[in-house]
Amino acid sequence: MKKRKIKVFDTTLRDGEQSPGASMSVTQKLEFALMLEDLGVDRIEAGFPVSSEVQFKAVEEISKKVKKSTIVSLARCVHNDIESANEAMKHAKDRMLHLFIATSPIHRKYKLGMSKKEILKRIGESIRYAKYYFDNIEFSPEDATRTERDFLYEVIEVAIANGATTINIPDTVGYSVPEEFEELIKSIIRNVPRVSEIDLSVHCHNDLGLAVANSLAAISAGATQVEVTVNGIGERAGNCSLEELVMAINIRKDYLPFKTRIKTKKLYKASKLLESLTGLIIARNKPIVGENAFLHEAGIHQHGVINNRKTYEIIRPEDIGRDPEHLVLGRHSGKHSFREKLKYYNLKLTKEQFEKAFSKFQKIADKKKEVSDDDILIIVANVLGQYPNGYRLEYFDVKTGNKIYPSATVKIKKGETKMVSSSTGNGPIEAVFNAIDSAIGLKAKLKDFVVSGVGAGRDAQGQVKVVINVEGNNYVGRGNSTDIIEASANAYINAINRYNFSMEAANLIKKQNSKKEKRVS
Ligand code: KIV
Ligand code: ZN
């Protein structure tokens, strides 16, 4: 089946950044824009330059550095906004202006105080003015889905006649349902024949949880561009999620004959980067990128997945750049899953050792909801007659401020051995991680770092999750504390311990096996 190309217009840095708690600095925005470019986004809406100095500067910096995606700036139908966007994007290799004005009766009456005639006049004038600076102009009739149909067609006709090259149909308040939205797009195509000369875009909000479904319906009806945000962040309940939309197209090729330029293997990285830049932590059960999206707890599911992942997985974690998640063991897990977990850590036990370890596991599983990999590694080391001897943070001291280079000293204990070391870093947490590396004598690559809060109020605990990479394998560590630096240090040490546990346990088993072989011979 021939696939139709769909342009991906990402507005994480504009509409997404408008959501509470998502604001980013200029440097953070630039870092994320480079991620979007790498991901293969066609158009990056970098900001609303006239709205603040930070917005202006961010659009300017992004325009200087991003070369493979078109840079877009938002502007009201006002000369000053258009000039500001022109100035902010003057270094862009490829650029587009995004002009908007509300068209629905409620916005006309209560927000703009303008008649239909005045709005049509303003649209024509603004696009003509913007044409002086820009070849590419996207025009959005804000609240399009609650605008009278005939007026909406007229608005679109005027915008195209005056030089708009993309028309975007926003479902500003997330009011539409898929069938209705599909019909709206079809009727625009039927009633405004000139839309075939331009890109027809959609921009769906998620107030009813229908943003992805509405966007897919619109593409099926003939839309050629979708506006999305990473992790679905955006005003109120957010916008259409980039990763959900792209993976729906990808997985259901049979039903959705479309293609995008998105490199799906970078989706997870983009999601995690946004989480760490904004601190907006996504729900564990969020499709595609959530913590639980590839975890299987129920025994029957685990058994099925071990035999053939397709029994309960429609997406391969590797396809979005995630490590194939191993199983979370709990009360419902049987011997099959336990054996699989040992295999994952390359732990080969004799039959007798396995039975012992499994019965210890069951006892813990009865008490705990989730048996962590650390628990399992400890069980194994226990069965083999040796307790794993992990590193422990005994003391740390950090000096930081806005006028000094952050430095840290750590004291770490392993059994009776004490290790002390100091280091510097770009921030206090990096300084602590560097000091830990130097004390232990291990260089781990930090792959992921996520901070979240547990509880509310000033005494809330910081919860840190880190992923480190040692010798090509990833190890996850977690730490909690009311002090975020201590939580980070503990998470980092926890990940290192995990690496060590698996190495030690594997070595122990090797030794035991070779002893046995000698005895036999
Ligand atoms: O939701 C909306 O209507 C918008 C417009 C500016 C396109 O974000
Ligand atoms: Zn919006």
Side-chain angles (χ1 to χ4, degrees), residues 14-15 172 203 205 235 239:
R14 198 277 299 168
D15 216 349
T172 303
H203 174 114
H205 278 268
E235 286 279 4
N239 290 52

Short mmCIF file of all heavy atoms in Angstrom, two decimals, residues 14-15 172 203 205 235 239, ligand 2:
data_model
loop_
_atom_site.label_atom_id
_atom_site.label_comp_id
_atom_site.label_asym_id
_atom_site.label_seq_id
_atom_site.Cartn_x
_atom_site.Cartn_y
_atom_site.Cartn_z
N ARG A 14 6.45 25.66 22.34
CA ARG A 14 5.54 26.81 22.36
C ARG A 14 4.27 26.44 23.15
O ARG A 14 4.12 26.80 24.30
CB ARG A 14 5.23 27.26 20.91
CG ARG A 14 4.67 28.66 20.83
CD ARG A 14 3.18 28.74 21.07
NE ARG A 14 2.38 27.99 20.11
CZ ARG A 14 1.09 27.75 20.28
NH1 ARG A 14 0.44 28.17 21.36
NH2 ARG A 14 0.41 27.03 19.39
N ASP A 15 3.39 25.63 22.57
CA ASP A 15 2.15 25.29 23.28
C ASP A 15 2.46 24.43 24.51
O ASP A 15 1.87 24.61 25.58
CB ASP A 15 1.21 24.53 22.33
CG ASP A 15 -0.25 24.89 22.56
OD1 ASP A 15 -0.54 25.55 23.57
OD2 ASP A 15 -1.10 24.51 21.73
N THR A 172 -9.05 23.90 19.76
CA THR A 172 -8.41 24.63 20.86
C THR A 172 -8.80 24.15 22.25
O THR A 172 -7.98 24.12 23.16
CB THR A 172 -8.74 26.13 20.70
OG1 THR A 172 -8.29 26.52 19.40
CG2 THR A 172 -8.08 27.00 21.75
N HIS A 203 -4.48 20.59 14.90
CA HIS A 203 -3.83 20.90 16.19
C HIS A 203 -4.87 20.56 17.26
O HIS A 203 -5.80 21.32 17.50
CB HIS A 203 -3.49 22.39 16.16
CG HIS A 203 -2.95 22.95 17.43
ND1 HIS A 203 -1.66 23.41 17.56
CD2 HIS A 203 -3.53 23.17 18.63
CE1 HIS A 203 -1.47 23.89 18.77
NE2 HIS A 203 -2.59 23.75 19.46
N HIS A 205 -6.23 19.52 21.07
CA HIS A 205 -6.01 19.49 22.51
C HIS A 205 -6.71 18.27 23.09
O HIS A 205 -7.58 17.68 22.47
CB HIS A 205 -6.44 20.82 23.14
CG HIS A 205 -5.35 21.86 23.00
ND1 HIS A 205 -4.40 22.06 23.96
CD2 HIS A 205 -5.05 22.70 21.98
CE1 HIS A 205 -3.56 23.01 23.54
NE2 HIS A 205 -3.93 23.41 22.34
N GLU A 235 -1.28 23.14 27.19
CA GLU A 235 -2.32 23.81 27.98
C GLU A 235 -3.31 22.80 28.57
O GLU A 235 -3.71 21.86 27.88
CB GLU A 235 -3.11 24.76 27.07
CG GLU A 235 -2.39 26.03 26.69
CD GLU A 235 -2.46 27.10 27.76
OE1 GLU A 235 -3.01 26.83 28.84
OE2 GLU A 235 -1.96 28.21 27.52
N ASN A 239 -1.67 18.45 24.64
CA ASN A 239 -1.88 18.38 23.19
C ASN A 239 -1.74 16.94 22.72
O ASN A 239 -1.39 16.06 23.51
CB ASN A 239 -0.80 19.21 22.48
CG ASN A 239 -0.95 20.70 22.70
OD1 ASN A 239 -1.06 21.16 23.82
ND2 ASN A 239 -0.95 21.46 21.63
ZN ZN B 2 -2.93 24.92 21.21
#
